[in-house]
Structures are given as C-alpha cells and as structure tokens.
Amino acid sequence: MKFKILEKYSKDEVANLFTSVFSSSEGEQEGRLIGKLAFELASRIDNQEIICIGAYENRTMIGAIFFTRLRFDEPIRAYMLAPVAVSTAHQGKGVGQALISFGLRELKNRSAAVIVTYGDPAFYSKVGFQALSEDVIQSPRPLSMPEGWLGQSLSEEPIPILRSRPVCVQEFDKPEYW
Ligand SMILES: CC(C)(COP(=O)(O)OP(=O)(O)OC[C@H]1O[C@@H](n2cnc3c(N)ncnc32)[C@H](O)[C@@H]1OP(=O)(O)O)[C@@H](O)C(=O)NCCC(=O)NCCS
C-alpha cells in the first residue's frame, strides 16, 4: 500500500470512493451527501486549509482522508480529521488506521499542534484520540453527539485550552454534519 498527498485533479476519484463506501455502510442518501461533501472539499484542496491523502494498492485508490483547518482567535495550528473512507472490500485490514497514522505524521511534520475529529470513540481511540471536552476546545457548531467530539495533541504539550469558538472550512459549516 502506498500513500499519496492528493491534488484537485483527483476530485472525481475521491468523490466516487466516498459515495460508494458511505452508500454501502450508511445507505444511498448518506452516500450521496458524503460524496458531495468529498467532491466539494477535493475541489478546494490547497494543502493548507484542505489536505487530502489517498491510500493506493496497485494504482487503485482504496482509501482517502481529509484534514481541514480549524481557525481560532488564538494563533494555533489545528486541524479536523473528516471524513475518512476505506473501500468496502478493504475494510477491517488496518488500512484506515494506517491512513490516519500517515496523515497525523504528515501534520506533525507541518508543525500542526492539535487534531480533532467527530466520530466513533471506539474506532478513533485506536489511533490516539480521546474524548474532548468543549471546555477545552469548542466545536464549530452545536454537536448532536457530544461524546463523539475527540482530540489529540500533535506536540509534546497537552491540548491547550482555547477560549474562542473555532471556524471550520465553509464546506463543513452546515448543521447536517454536526
Ligand atoms: C471506519 C473506516 C474508515 C475504518 O477503516 P478500516 O480500514 O476498516 O479500519 P481498520 O482495519 O484500520 O481498523 C479496524 C478496527 O476498527 C474498528 N472499526 C472499523 N470500522 C469501525 C466503525 N465504523 N466503527 C467502530 N469501529 C470500527 C474495527 O472493529 C477494528 O477493530 P479491531 O482491529 O480491534 O478488530 C472504514 O471501515 C470505513 O470507511 N467505514 C465506512 C465509512 C465510515 O464509517 N467512515 C468513518 C466516519 S467519517
């Protein structure tokens, strides 16, 4: 398996992967919603605000992940991990965890300090995420499942307490994702 930092021209391949994976796991409607989100995000990849990494086997994309910048009033380099998908045929073989670990190493190399995500703690705890209180870092929008708000430090320091509510990239700034 190889990992590749993707550019905008991969947007159709990325969107197709997310549509197909989420249609299989969550139903067609969710598949369309997340496929559209992935297309919108991939169309604005700039390797600063929006980073996308693909996992490939024999030149076929078998997984992909997005990291998007969270902006605070404080000068801190923080990212959000979402969404991530591994093709249905390759799930449960460690691809998802390897893709996330590769992405976190890449963010550390770029001096990111904090990563947050919003998902299943049972899965994300395997790659270092812990429950994140909104007293430490608020979510950009009200959460329907506060127990899914997770984070980890990418530096030697613990996650700092940040007072301002962060702003996410515009593609995520919609209530249906929260
Ligand atoms: C979630 C996902 C990215 C994980 O990738 P993967 O390659 O299948 O996962 P890995 O093989 O690296 O890790 C598997 C472990 O995670 C757990 N796991 C996998 N998917 C999970 C899920 N949706 N919820 C909770 N745990 C999950 C498994 O139980 C397994 O644990 P084990 O190793 O102790 O048996 C992938 O299954 C997927 O794309 N699912 C559909 C889309 C989705 O739910 N994306 C995440 C939300 S954005």
Side-chain angles (χ1 to χ4, degrees):
M1 182 172 45
K2 283 190 178 147
F3 299 110
K4 206 161 100 184
I5 295 172
L6 301 179
E7 301 291 341
K8 284 177 201 163
Y9 65 76
S10 297
K11 60 182 185 292
D12 290 318
E13 196 181 10
V14 173
N16 288 342
L17 176 79
F18 278 92
T19 305
S20 122
V21 169
F22 278 85
S23 296
S24 298
S25 70
E26 317 287 327
E28 228 172 86
Q29 196 182 345
E30 187 76 0
R32 272 199 301 273
L33 179 75
I34 305 298
K36 182 167 170 280
L37 169 68
F39 184 82
E40 289 170 358
L41 289 170
S43 303
R44 282 212 314 128
I45 290 172
D46 61 356
N47 276 310
Q48 295 276 342
E49 296 294 298
I50 302 178
I51 301 167
C52 184
I53 298 170
Y56 286 81
E57 202 154 83
N58 303 325
R59 297 195 180 171
T60 302
M61 186 185 285
I62 61 167
I65 190 165
F66 283 96
F67 297 98
T68 56
R69 187 82 193 260
L70 276 188
R71 295 257 174 207
F72 295 80
D73 286 347
E74 294 94 332
I76 183 155
R77 204 166 176 80
Y79 281 89
M80 186 170 74
L81 180 174
V84 53
V86 171
S87 69
T88 311
H90 293 86
Q91 287 176 8
K93 299 175 186 167
V95 175
Q97 289 176 66
L99 186 54
I100 293 169
S101 300
F102 179 89
L104 297 185
R105 277 198 302 278
E106 183 63 31
L107 290 179
K108 278 183 199 172
N109 290 341
R110 298 176 187 207
S111 306
V114 175
I115 177 92
V116 302
T117 194
Y118 185 41
D120 187 337
F123 175 63
Y124 288 104
S125 63
K126 292 175 190 290
V127 282
F129 284 87
Q130 291 183 339
L132 183 58
S133 161
E134 286 210 74
D135 294 338
V136 178
I137 294 186
Q138 298 174 61
S139 63
R141 278 181 165 266
L143 300 172
S144 56
M145 285 191 321
E147 65 279 10
W149 188 235
L150 310 168
Q152 69 174 291
S153 169
L154 296 175
S155 74
E156 303 292 304
E157 309 295 322
I159 296 178
I161 296 172
L162 299 172
R163 302 206 180 279
S164 61
R165 186 177 282 280
V167 175
C168 58
V169 296
Q170 68 200 36
E171 289 79 1
F172 272 117
D173 203 11
K174 296 175 183 161
E176 58 263 40
Y177 298 128
W178 302 92

